[in-house]
Amino acid sequence: MEKRIYINMNLCTGCRACAAACAQGHHDQGLLKHGAVEEVALMPLHCRHCDTPLCLEVCPQDAIMKDENGTIIRQSQLCIGCKSCIMSCPFGVMFMHSTWHVSPKCDLCHDRLEEGKQPRCVATCTSGALVFEELTELEKKHRHAAEGGRYFARWMLVR
Amino acid sequence: MSEIRSNCSICSLACPLILRGGRRSPVFTNASILTLDWDGSEDSKYGGSLCARGAAMVEFVSHPDRLNYPYILGERAPYEAAVKDAAKNLSAVKKEAGGDAIAILVGDNLTNEEAALALKFAREIIGTEKIALMAPDDVPLFRAWTEYDLSGLTAAGEKPAGERQVFLLVGDPFSEHPCTAKAVAAGKYAGRGNEVITISTGKNHSAWFANRHLACRPGGEPAVLAGLLKAAAAKSGASLPGGLGKLISVVEWNDIERLGGVSREDIEAAAGSMLGAARVETHLSNIFGRFGAPGLASVLAEAVTRICPGEAVFDAQFVQQNTWGIWSVLAGSGSGKALADIASGGVQAFVLLGIDPFSVFPAAPVEKALRDSKFTVATQLFRGATATGANVVIPAAALVEKKGTVSPSFGEDIIREETITPIAGAVSDGQFLTDLARAMGSRLEAAQVHRKTERAGSGESLSADWAGYAARMKDLEIADTVLIPWSEAVHAADGSISRNLFWSTVTCPGPELMVSGQIAGEMHLRDGDLVKVASEGGEAVLKVRTTGKLEGRTVAATIHFPSVRKLFPWKMDERHGEISLAPVAVTLGRQSEKS
């Protein structure tokens, strides 16, 4: 069961509720950022949980791993804060924690997934722009977004 | 760990949420951990989503800066001593100058029961009629509701066939109350031909979703709404009752185009679209009176919605949660006029309940009255400017920590029977009033609360309101530059939440001046340059950010910062005792290059 988050940019209002919810659930360290698109819209930037994750490839400590659901998870105990993953991320969604000297990343709220709930950002999305669905379903529905590209974006964008 | 189904207490929509934990104590235990979840069940409002402000509810109620104990003259004191001191001073003022020398200002942080208790306290124990609800952003809408009777208004013609829906958004409901976005966006894509019409200055978040964006001049929303009503009445042949009909017949199209800044063709096309829809839904959002005349805009928006033959839904969204409930409890007590009476002077002592007027509403006349008073007792959540200045400060419980009834802007009243315990040391305003009354030698019993929200008045003064609005808009017409009050989604209206969310410093780092491309080009401004902004109310030096959301000679600034707020002159309307805040004329002067 591989489920991924899909963002429909036609619906995003840029209210930043997803960022608030993420920070609220991850001890005040928001793992989700916003990028301004041409000054007129805001877009949540999440980890796309790539098929061939560069962050995993470059990590010298093997702190980043892929679990059975295809979620890319960082193990905090192993991370030495070398920033290799941050530099390698093609989407620029990884960043440094200013005080802990490690690079935290999106874990798809696996604590909530175990309870059978949706990730925090999806559950609180105020306009229904974020959807959490089976990967196969998403590929069927949004084929144009899944086609092409070296890195298969699990967080797909349509506009 | 207990699970409490509660409601977000930030704005009037009252989205459902679930709080876990809740037995909070000064000693840290597992049971004192408080977490929040969304009520994701299908039947919950907007599917249970929460906006950034609602998601920060736990941060807000457990913030380390919250007051835990009372202060007397800035010194930490026991609760009993603080109540005794307040009772002694209030009794002395009452004996010396009479009950009329004591005023009570009520904010939004009260339940309906507590508001009724405050009214009883004012009348029976103090003996004053000077009790006023202070909510400059919401009160104009309430006043419009009670003063203009629209019951004679009927829909024009038969209900159109089909299922076409039209959403009319006035202002920026998606920014102020993002939870509405889910319902509106779902409706927009639900069927062919569904339409979102937005009336706003500049391209805000709501306008981003609009099929038809009626981009008006700063403060031009009421004029565009008047145009919509005129066009709809002419097209459908409907007759408008009383003052409404008189106003629409008097106002000319060239006036509407001049004040509103939208062409007649665009307005008529939008009106035609609304008349042909099977369902018309209007959301009016008004933070800090950003329309030229919020009351007028509210009446006209409701009238144009109800004249449409389709199913009509009108929703005015208030900034604070329980102002509607408190307003209806205080209705008939002359609360509207009381604020003007307070500002006219002669008040020696103040009781401030659930309001931080110095930080939130720095209205010059009220601020002067507060500074001139001999004694002030305030119930406060944070140690803001009011808590620093008041003689006696009582740590207050937040609205979500209180049991009682609250009235959201639409839907049923919420009766909160179970809730989290207040943060250690905090007492509810009702408890404080009861204790204060006992210390003054009287008994105060909780009153039964009924909502009384009947429409009254004829609407005859509508043309007077229009004349006042048109006169005020003249100042903007000849102005060099117009400053629009702006707001950011992550900020609560009173700025209190913005202090608690760490990322709000990232998304909105400080008081910035957003300038249009035209002004940036003329003044050779780059992002980060400092500019001195001067208005009738004061002046401030702000950092510049160029934006594509503004056009022409307009600038905007986020109103949640005190330095920005003082740019807006807070005008007291003597007739109703309310404070208005609208776009203002400013002059810009270059201060320095980016450092």
Side-chain angles (χ1 to χ4, degrees):
Chain A
M1 189 195 78
E2 279 199 47
K3 274 185 159 183
R4 288 295 178 271
I5 298 165
Y6 175 83
I7 170 167
N8 185 348
M9 281 304 290
N10 286 332
L11 291 179
C12 177
T13 64
C15 72
R16 303 189 182 99
C18 47
C22 185
Q24 195 254 342
H26 291 96
H27 307 289
D28 271 6
Q29 41 161 331
L31 307 180
L32 194 157
K33 281 186 171 183
H34 275 80
V37 182
E38 289 176 359
E39 273 258 323
V40 285
L42 281 161
M43 181 182 87
L45 296 172
H46 312 74
C47 172
R48 286 154 166 81
H49 298 272
C50 309
D51 267 354
T52 50
L54 285 188
C55 54
L56 189 147
E57 299 281 326
V58 299
C59 183
Q61 290 293 100
D62 290 340
I64 297 177
M65 56 167 253
K66 199 174 199 171
D67 76 356
E68 66 274 19
N69 291 333
T71 312
I72 313 300
I73 291 171
R74 182 194 58 95
Q75 290 156 291
S76 8
Q77 293 90 342
L78 293 179
C79 179
I80 55 169
C82 71
K83 301 179 194 164
S84 303
C85 51
I86 299 172
M87 283 186 278
S88 71
C89 179
F91 302 104
V93 294
M94 293 191 76
F95 48 92
M96 199 68 184
H97 195 280
S98 51
T99 49
W100 297 355
H101 301 291
V102 291
S103 43
K105 73 178 288 300
C106 164
D107 55 1
L108 282 182
C109 295
H110 58 82
D111 54 326
R112 280 175 66 90
L113 294 191
E114 280 165 16
E115 292 175 22
K117 291 177 181 167
Q118 293 181 321
R120 289 176 177 85
C121 52
V122 179
T124 195
C125 181
T126 53
S127 64
L130 293 172
V131 184
F132 191 60
E133 269 187 2
E134 287 281 343
L135 195 52
T136 47
E137 284 291 306
L138 285 177
E139 279 168 1
K140 237 182 271 169
K141 273 188 203 163
H142 311 284
R143 198 173 299 147
H144 60 288
E147 277 168 3
R150 188 177 158 198
Y151 309 104
F152 183 84
R154 295 293 180 82
W155 292 74
M156 290 165 287
L157 296 171
V158 279
R159 177 70 227 171
Chain B
M1 198 172 266
S2 57
E3 191 177 284
I4 296 160
R5 286 184 176 267
S6 187
N7 292 78
C8 172
S9 67
I10 303 286
C11 80
S12 62
L13 296 181
C15 296
L17 53 84
I18 301 165
L19 290 162
R20 292 205 173 79
R23 284 196 302 281
R24 297 191 293 163
S25 62
V27 182
F28 184 77
T29 62
N30 257 352
S32 63
I33 297 173
L34 187 64
T35 59
L36 173 145
D37 210 338
W38 302 269
D39 184 359
S41 47
E42 281 297 309
D43 57 336
S44 70
K45 213 187 246 182
Y46 307 121
S49 57
L50 289 179
C51 69
R53 298 176 283 173
M57 182 62 77
V58 167
E59 268 185 76
F60 175 64
V61 296
S62 322
H63 198 274
D65 284 356
R66 275 201 54 190
L67 290 173
N68 289 91
Y69 33 78
Y71 286 96
I72 301 176
L73 295 172
E75 295 282 333
R76 198 174 156 165
Y79 175 66
E80 291 74 23
V83 171
K84 219 171 155 185
D85 191 76
K88 194 182 81 189
N89 282 291
L90 289 177
S91 303
V93 170
K94 188 183 166 187
K95 202 173 168 191
E96 206 176 286
D100 230 23
I102 300 173
I104 298 175
L105 288 182
V106 182
D108 65 304
N109 191 32
L110 299 183
T111 60
N112 294 355
E113 285 81 4
E114 286 173 334
L117 207 62
L119 185 61
K120 219 172 169 189
F121 178 78
R123 283 184 174 163
E124 291 177 8
I125 290 163
I126 304 286
T128 178
E129 283 295 322
K130 284 179 182 166
I131 174 164
L133 168 68
M134 209 176 163
D137 29 19
D138 292 338
V139 166
L141 306 184
F142 301 151
R143 183 175 64 69
W145 209 86
T146 47
E147 218 168 79
Y148 299 115
D149 190 3
L150 297 184
S151 51
L153 200 67
T154 47
E158 291 290 303
K159 186 183 168 185
E163 288 182 350
R164 203 172 78 87
Q165 297 182 53
V166 169
F167 297 89
L168 177 65
L169 308 177
V170 188
D172 193 3
F174 283 14
S175 267
E176 327 307 11
H177 309 272
C179 300
T180 49
K182 196 175 239 169
V184 173
K188 179 187 172 183
Y189 296 111
R192 268 183 103 78
N194 288 2
E195 212 171 359
V196 175
I197 303 170
T198 305
I199 303 173
S200 70
T201 313
K203 303 184 201 82
N204 55 26
H205 288 313
S206 308
W208 179 244
F209 280 76
N211 305 70
R212 240 182 246 275
H213 181 204
L214 304 179
C216 62
R217 280 185 44 205
E221 289 90 349
V224 178
L225 285 162
L228 270 180
L229 187 61
K230 195 176 168 78
K235 204 161 187 162
S236 63
S239 64
L240 299 168
L244 214 52
K246 217 183 288 171
L247 173 74
I248 294 305
S249 63
V250 166
V251 176
E252 298 289 337
W253 272 109
N254 58 3
D255 266 352
I256 291 168
E257 287 187 332
R258 189 171 52 85
L259 297 174
V262 181
S263 72
R264 181 178 175 173
E265 290 73 40
D266 289 350
I267 295 177
E268 280 179 343
S273 168
M274 286 177 74
L275 285 172
R279 188 170 185 277
V280 178
E281 190 175 318
T282 301
H283 292 276
L284 186 116
S285 139
N286 175 56
I287 291 228
F288 276 75
R290 66 165 49 175
F291 309 154
L296 188 65
S298 157
V299 172
L300 294 171
E302 187 174 352
V304 75
T305 312
R306 291 188 29 192
I307 199 177
C308 290
E311 185 192 341
V313 180
F314 177 76
D315 171 30
Q317 300 171 353
F318 312 132
V319 179
Q320 289 152 352
Q321 180 165 77
N322 203 27
T323 43
W324 181 227
I326 297 168
W327 173 266
S328 34
V329 168
L330 298 187
S333 69
S335 169
K337 190 79 171 55
L339 206 58
D341 289 345
I342 289 166
S344 65
V347 177
Q348 294 188 17
F350 273 96
V351 182
L352 309 177
L353 298 170
I355 188 173
D356 182 356
F358 281 105
S359 305
V360 184
F361 310 118
V366 178
E367 197 176 324
K368 188 176 176 299
L370 276 164
R371 287 200 195 285
D372 290 350
S373 72
K374 276 187 200 161
F375 178 76
T376 310
V377 52
T379 60
Q380 294 288 300
L381 291 176
F382 293 97
R383 198 160 190 205
T386 305
T388 321
N391 299 58
V392 176
V393 181
I394 305 291
L399 193 54
V400 77
E401 294 169 335
K402 290 179 188 176
K403 288 177 188 171
T405 318
V406 292
S407 308
S409 71
F410 66 97
E412 295 290 304
D413 283 9
I414 297 165
I415 301 165
R416 216 179 271 140
E417 285 167 356
E418 191 193 17
T419 186
I420 51 175
T421 51
I423 198 162
V427 287
S428 69
D429 295 82
Q431 181 66 41
F432 168 64
L433 283 176
T434 316
D435 293 344
L436 187 60
R438 194 179 300 130
M440 288 174 82
S442 315
R443 257 177 79 82
L444 196 63
E445 276 173 20
Q448 201 71 32
V449 175
H450 300 289
R451 268 177 85 186
K452 294 173 288 185
T453 46
E454 278 169 20
R455 294 209 118 156
S458 59
E460 287 300 318
S461 50
L462 204 59
S463 38
D465 268 12
W466 176 270
Y469 162 69
R472 241 176 304 153
M473 287 289 284
K474 272 220 170 78
D475 297 342
L476 297 188
E477 265 175 71
I478 54 166
D480 177 41
T481 314
V482 178
L483 174 66
I484 308 171
W486 205 266
S487 74
E488 275 284 324
V490 291
H491 295 276
D494 61 359
S496 57
I497 298 293
S498 65
R499 288 198 290 269
N500 304 337
L501 292 181
F502 78 98
W503 69 85
S504 71
T505 57
V506 178
T507 56
C508 186
E512 281 183 335
L513 187 74
M514 288 181 269
V515 301
S516 64
Q518 188 189 333
I519 289 181
E522 281 171 17
M523 291 179 71
H524 304 291
L525 292 172
R526 281 180 308 165
D527 287 5
D529 287 353
L530 293 177
V531 161
K532 189 174 181 182
V533 192
S535 78
E536 200 186 320
E539 56 183 46
V541 177
L542 302 172
K543 230 192 257 175
V544 161
R545 184 150 58 93
T546 320
T547 177
K549 288 183 180 180
L550 294 169
E551 280 161 9
R553 297 204 56 86
T554 48
V555 294
T558 314
I559 48 178
H560 311 286
F561 301 97
S563 59
V564 174
R565 258 190 245 119
K566 71 181 177 204
L567 290 170
F568 297 96
W570 297 74
K571 286 177 187 144
M572 180 77 75
D573 173 2
E574 293 294 330
R575 186 156 60 106
H576 303 103
E578 73 187 33
I579 302 160
S580 72
L581 173 66
V584 286
V586 290
T587 52
L588 301 182
R590 201 189 173 87
Q591 191 79 6
S592 75
E593 290 281 323
K594 182 180 176 180
S595 57

